[in-house]
Amino acid sequence: MAGVEDVLSVLRSMDGVAAAFLLDGAALDAAVAEERVAGTISGMPMENRALDECVRREVRVCLFCTGAFGDAEGRVLVMEDGDGNVLGHDVIGGRGAEADFGEDALWLSDDFVVFPGRRSAGGVRMVMLPRRVSSIGRAEGAGDPVLMYPSTGTDLLLKRLFRVPEGSKASSAILAFDRVS
């Protein structure tokens, strides 16, 4: 049976991963507390499902990556209403990465599109989503792994806690998984 150290070893050997550290104890508590107060620039309410999923898992690892982590799939950020209707979402890779969204699409930035014509039930909020990971899994000892990209404040906190040199181009991510027995 693979252990957490085995998973860390696999993660450290992956392209783009500069470092990987077990995130637990006081460091985990500080990161979760910082992430819980993160908000949006616009002041729109934020729901962090990515953090919730990471907290539910048994093991959390802080990764420092020099690019996007491996093969993480799915959206990172959506705008939805109180009924769960998606009113906008990020576009991984920017405007040219996906098919035309139609005349109703309004680009707020090069990587976020909204659909103003969609009906809303109110209660609009931004939602951070966990990304599914398949480059590491049960064979390596990591059950149901998910990845989240933390807020800027949490990224800076993690860099300070794990002594990442100032000016480093690496950005943090949190990978969480359950132990495989």
Side-chain angles (χ1 to χ4, degrees), residues 11-72:
L11 289 167
R12 290 175 181 136
S13 72
M14 293 178 142
D15 286 340
V17 176
F21 301 96
L22 187 60
L23 181 59
D24 61 2
L28 174 63
D29 293 344
V32 169
E34 180 67 27
E35 196 64 17
R36 292 263 186 240
V37 299
T40 62
I41 293 171
S42 68
M44 185 179 291
M46 171 72 80
E47 179 182 341
N48 198 331
R49 291 182 197 153
L51 179 63
D52 295 342
E53 286 298 314
C54 286
V55 169
R56 284 186 190 106
R57 305 289 191 288
E58 289 178 87
V59 179
R60 273 108 7 221
V61 175
C62 179
L63 300 173
F64 292 100
C65 303
T66 55
F69 176 77
D71 61 352

Side-chain angles (χ1 to χ4, degrees), residues 88-102:
H89 57 76
D90 61 344
V91 179
I92 307 299
R95 281 186 190 223
E98 294 189 18
D100 180 26
F101 291 110

Side-chain angles (χ1 to χ4, degrees), residues 149-171:
Y149 294 107
S151 67
T152 302
T154 304
D155 176 69
L156 292 171
L157 171 76
L158 291 169
K159 287 177 177 173
R160 192 173 63 252
L161 290 171
F162 291 108
R163 295 184 172 91
V164 173
E166 277 190 48
S168 169
K169 299 290 184 197
S171 59

